[in-house]
């Protein structure tokens, strides 16, 4: 039986999505068809295309009852909208279809696993969300919810685990044909844990063990987990709520955490070795990865932060929220490295190059401007001069506006600052990150799209992401030095 709720959402998004012109959207970052977007869901390769589902409220550009939006791509940069895949239309998910994942079954169909939410009245008169895991199966466009949903609920949670914080399943298929999934949960200590479940067929699931426990080290509840092998190690990604800063790590409150370690597949034991933030900028949360057909591990996150959702273009915009640039992942020297997906290079046009430019004060370079830009900058001290005190790049700039990336080698600190980007709200507009440099030499690759900047440091050792809602006419780029620096710049337009 066709769902009236889903039919109405599809009808609405088709009509109102058409009203948003391509120029009003990011050029190569996925945004919602209409309305609100948050976490990426079901990021997968299926039937010759990349599929990205997303947390979606089509009727408003603010958070609301969660649906699953749906888009497909062949290159991870140009997306085609498909009809909404899921709507909150069953007794077990009537208050929302929360985050989850997707895999292709041996029979060629696509299986979705998501968290169904039901609000329950509590003794104090308030409401809590009871969360359980549900399935839907389909052909890549239309999906039918499983008649035995939910497949995992409170009876499948280990003792002390909360049924109100039990969400975001990430599935995979093992080499022997069986299935595993991990799910975020809140244990009795009030922090977070990642639970491991297994299934012979993708439909009948049972609890296996706690794969990783927070013990109140990194924030509280751990959301949106992902788990995969990479360069001889295993990587657990998760998004903890309510993190406390540790030096220059974990400044985002609702932040991101990468744990790198070893995984004994026989015992299904994960041993942590190192931890780090995933993104050091202002806007990044809830990433998911996919294994590409050519064997790359690619990650996309929600390029937004729960604490900055009031940072908007206007009060009545037709869409809100966008995904990050797809990033190829690798491990070097025990760290997670991220580089822009190589498909981006196909979009490069009109190369402009400068080598060995001396900067003292402020300069502009002919041909270096734009709001859809891929720019590589290397900064180093000028030979024969003292170490410079500060170097900065101003982007999306005119007489009124700019956003800056500034580096102080004496402190080894790189800062993104968008307080002059056109915001009328005193929310989070700066983030500092400790970066590595060699005697003041630093390498940056800066990707600008219409509504964002992402800065990749030292060939992907760190990334800082931020959304920008500056008028598109502000397309200037300038370089500033307190002291004297020598820079190389290679800039492309992205078309």
């Amino acid at each position: 039986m066709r769902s009236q709720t889903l039919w109405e959402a599809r009808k609405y998004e088709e009509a109102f999505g058409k009203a948003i012109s391509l120029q009003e959207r990011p050029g190569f970052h996925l945004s919602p068809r209409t309305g609100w977007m948050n976490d990426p869901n079901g990021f997968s390769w299926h039937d010759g295309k990349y599929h990205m589902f997303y947390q979606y409220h089509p009727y408003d550009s603010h958070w609301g009852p969660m649906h699953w939006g749906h888009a497909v791509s062949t290159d991870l940069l140009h997306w085609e909208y498909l009809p909404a895949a899921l709507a909150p239309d069953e007794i077990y998910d009537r208050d929302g279809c929360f985050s989850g994942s997707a895999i292709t079954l041996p029979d060629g169909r696509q299986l979705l696993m998501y968290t169904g939410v039901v609000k329950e009245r509590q003794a104090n008169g308030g409401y809590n969300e009871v969360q359980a895991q549900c399935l839907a199966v389909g052909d890549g466009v239309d999906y039918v919810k499983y008649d035995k949903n939910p497949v995992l609920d409170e009876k499948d949670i280990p003792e002390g685990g909360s049924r109100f914080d039990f969400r975001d399943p990430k599935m995979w298929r093992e080499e022997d044909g069986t299935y595993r999934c991990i799910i975020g949960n809140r244990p009795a200590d009030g922090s977070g844990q990642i639970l491991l479940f297994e299934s012979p067929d993708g439909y009948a699931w049972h609890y296996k063990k706690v794969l990783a426990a927070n013990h109140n080290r990194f924030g509280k509840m751990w959301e949106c987990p992902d788990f995969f092998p990479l360069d001889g190690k295993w990587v657990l990604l998760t998004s903890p709520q309510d993190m406390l800063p540790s030096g220059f790590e974990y400044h985002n409150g609702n932040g991101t955490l990468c744990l790198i370690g070893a995984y004994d597949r026989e015992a299904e034991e994960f041993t942590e070795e190192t931890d780090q933030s995933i993104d050091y900028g202002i806007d990044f949360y809830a990433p998911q990865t996919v294994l590409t057909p050519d064997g790359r591990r690619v990650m996309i996150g929600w390029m937004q932060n729960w604490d900055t959702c009031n940072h908007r273009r206007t009060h009545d915009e037709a869409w809100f929220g966008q995904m990050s640039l797809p990033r190829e992942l690798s491990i070097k020297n025990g760290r997670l490295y991220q580089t822009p997906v190589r498909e981006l290079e196909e979009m490069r046009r009109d190369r402009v190059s400068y080598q060995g430019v001396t900067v003292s004060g402020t300069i502009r370079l002919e041909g270096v401007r734009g709001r859809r830009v891929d720019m590589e900058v290397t900064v180093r001290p000028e030979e024969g001069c003292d170490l410079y005190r500060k170097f900065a790049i101003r982007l999306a700039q005119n007489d009124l506006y700019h956003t800056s990336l500034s580096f102080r080698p004496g402190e080894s600190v790189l800062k993104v600052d968008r307080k002059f980007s056109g915001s009328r709200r005193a929310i989070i507009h700066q983030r500092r990150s400790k970066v590595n440099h060699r005697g003041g030499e630093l390498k940056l690759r800066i990707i600008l799209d219409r509504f964002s900047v992402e800065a990749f440091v030292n060939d992907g050792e760190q990334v800082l992401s931020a959304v920008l809602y500056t008028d598109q006419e502000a397309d200037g780029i300038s370089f500033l030095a307190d002291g004297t620096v020598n820079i190389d710049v290679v800039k492309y337009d992205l078309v």
Side-chain angles (χ1 to χ4, degrees):
M1 187 179 76
R2 186 191 234 174
S3 155
Q4 179 73 14
T5 311
L6 183 59
W7 180 80
E8 286 173 1
R10 286 180 165 193
K11 192 174 165 188
Y12 183 93
E13 67 176 0
E14 186 177 6
F16 285 85
K18 284 177 188 164
I20 306 170
S21 70
L22 288 176
Q23 288 68 40
E24 294 174 86
R25 294 187 177 280
F28 46 92
H29 290 76
L30 179 62
S31 57
R33 191 169 183 179
T34 182
W36 164 279
M37 161 193 280
N38 59 289
D39 308 355
N41 298 158
F43 188 22
S44 53
W45 172 261
H46 174 75
D47 201 19
K49 289 182 179 175
Y50 296 101
H51 287 248
M52 177 63 84
F53 305 85
Y54 52 90
Q55 291 288 277
Y56 184 38
H57 184 220
Y59 303 111
D60 192 355
S61 63
H62 294 77
W63 194 92
M66 284 293 101
H67 298 57
W68 273 32
H70 191 190
V72 292
S73 175
T74 55
D75 66 357
L76 294 161
L77 296 165
H78 300 89
W79 294 90
E80 171 196 348
Y81 293 112
L82 293 183
L86 298 175
D89 53 16
E90 296 287 349
I91 196 163
Y92 50 78
D93 64 13
R94 64 176 181 259
D95 293 306
C97 300
F98 279 16
S99 295
S101 51
I103 53 171
T104 300
L105 294 168
D107 66 10
R109 294 183 301 161
Q110 192 176 30
L111 183 68
L112 311 182
M113 190 176 196
Y114 68 97
T115 299
V117 177
V118 177
K119 287 181 180 169
E120 179 186 85
R121 188 78 177 258
Q122 302 302 299
N124 64 3
Y127 286 87
N128 277 349
E129 295 169 340
V130 178
Q131 301 178 344
Q133 314 318 315
C134 309
L135 300 173
V137 68
D139 60 4
V141 178
D142 296 305
Y143 300 86
V144 176
K145 292 180 181 177
Y146 186 39
D147 57 10
K148 293 181 180 168
N149 279 342
V151 294
L152 289 168
D153 59 21
E154 58 190 276
K155 69 179 183 305
D156 302 292
I157 303 171
E159 188 176 347
S162 169
R163 64 197 185 105
F164 306 131
D165 288 298
F166 175 49
R167 57 183 174 272
D168 312 332
K170 176 67 192 263
M171 287 186 291
W172 69 93
R173 192 167 181 238
E174 289 284 357
E175 289 168 2
D176 64 3
T178 62
Y179 298 82
R180 300 290 183 277
C181 85
I182 52 171
I183 302 173
N185 182 234
R186 183 163 52 83
D189 71 1
S191 65
Q193 61 186 4
I194 305 299
L195 306 180
L196 178 68
F197 296 82
E198 67 177 359
S199 169
D201 57 3
Y203 289 92
W205 290 89
H206 65 270
Y207 170 70
K208 194 82 195 266
K209 67 193 307 178
V210 175
L211 181 74
N214 183 7
H215 301 307
N216 283 300
R217 295 172 298 154
F218 306 105
K220 295 295 185 180
M221 171 65 185
W222 281 3
E223 299 192 300
C224 304
D226 199 348
F227 188 55
F228 50 88
L230 184 67
D231 296 336
K233 296 290 185 181
W234 278 75
V235 178
L236 178 64
L237 306 180
T238 187
S239 294
Q241 297 178 321
D242 303 318
M243 298 187 86
L244 288 171
S246 173
F248 280 86
E249 297 281 346
Y250 314 126
H251 280 225
N252 274 15
N254 292 297
T256 54
L257 172 67
C258 170
L259 297 171
I260 298 171
Y263 184 53
D264 181 335
R265 281 189 115 137
E266 281 294 305
E268 297 184 294
E269 293 277 353
F270 175 62
T271 306
E272 298 170 23
E273 293 168 3
T274 60
D275 68 270
Q276 66 177 90
S277 298
I278 301 171
D279 192 290
Y280 291 80
I282 304 170
D283 295 301
F284 190 85
Y285 196 70
Q288 265 198 7
T289 70
V290 67
L291 189 64
T292 66
D294 61 2
R296 293 173 287 156
R297 180 63 63 172
V298 172
M299 176 182 73
I300 292 180
W302 180 41
M303 196 160 47
Q304 193 58 57
N305 185 310
W306 287 112
D307 295 321
T308 60
C309 288
N310 286 327
H311 178 46
R312 292 170 170 263
R313 303 184 300 291
T314 62
H315 289 298
D316 56 355
E317 65 253 17
W319 64 269
F320 180 81
Q322 58 186 312
M323 296 304 177
S324 73
L325 198 65
R327 304 170 183 182
E328 297 184 20
L329 303 183
S330 59
I331 293 175
K332 296 175 193 168
N333 308 317
R335 271 194 75 81
L336 184 75
Y337 273 63
Q338 306 165 54
T339 53
V341 72
R342 63 193 66 171
E343 284 84 348
L344 190 69
E345 290 161 30
E346 300 295 312
M347 293 173 61
R348 286 172 163 183
R349 300 287 186 277
D350 304 323
R351 184 178 194 267
V352 178
S353 177
Y354 291 87
Q355 301 295 313
V357 176
T358 299
V359 183
S360 183
T362 300
I363 69 162
R364 295 196 179 209
L365 297 172
E366 182 70 30
V368 178
R369 63 186 315 117
R371 286 291 289 273
R372 291 179 58 180
V373 165
D374 186 347
M375 183 170 69
E376 296 170 0
V377 179
T378 301
V379 57
R380 62 184 80 82
E382 179 77 14
E383 204 167 319
C385 294
D386 291 338
L387 181 65
Y388 59 95
R389 288 169 292 282
K390 177 182 170 183
F391 170 73
I393 305 171
R394 288 185 171 178
L395 311 153
Q397 182 179 18
N398 64 9
D399 292 341
L400 267 181
Y401 306 122
H402 69 265
T403 289
S404 71
L405 287 160
S406 59
F407 173 55
R408 294 182 181 273
E411 302 167 19
S412 303
V413 166
L414 179 69
K415 180 170 78 171
V416 60
D417 184 345
R418 65 172 181 207
K419 66 176 171 288
F420 298 112
S421 67
S423 172
R424 297 175 188 273
R425 292 286 171 271
I427 56 175
I428 300 157
H429 288 317
Q430 298 179 343
R431 187 72 74 216
R432 297 187 308 153
S433 177
K434 196 99 167 176
V435 296
N436 291 319
H437 63 97
R438 290 179 309 176
E441 182 170 328
L442 186 73
K443 198 171 172 187
L444 296 171
R445 183 173 172 192
I446 299 163
I447 312 294
L448 276 171
D449 199 351
R450 289 190 181 107
F451 302 106
S452 63
V453 59
E454 289 159 279
F456 295 79
V457 184
N458 295 331
D459 299 310
E461 190 174 36
Q462 284 165 277
V463 191
L464 289 82
S465 303
V467 300
L468 307 178
Y469 294 130
T470 311
D471 289 350
Q472 296 301 306
E473 299 76 43
D475 67 351
I477 296 174
S478 61
F479 305 89
L480 300 77
D482 180 0
T484 308
V485 301
N486 187 280
I487 64 171
D488 303 333
V489 179
V490 181
K491 175 256 178 184
Y492 301 88
D493 291 323
L494 292 170
V495 179

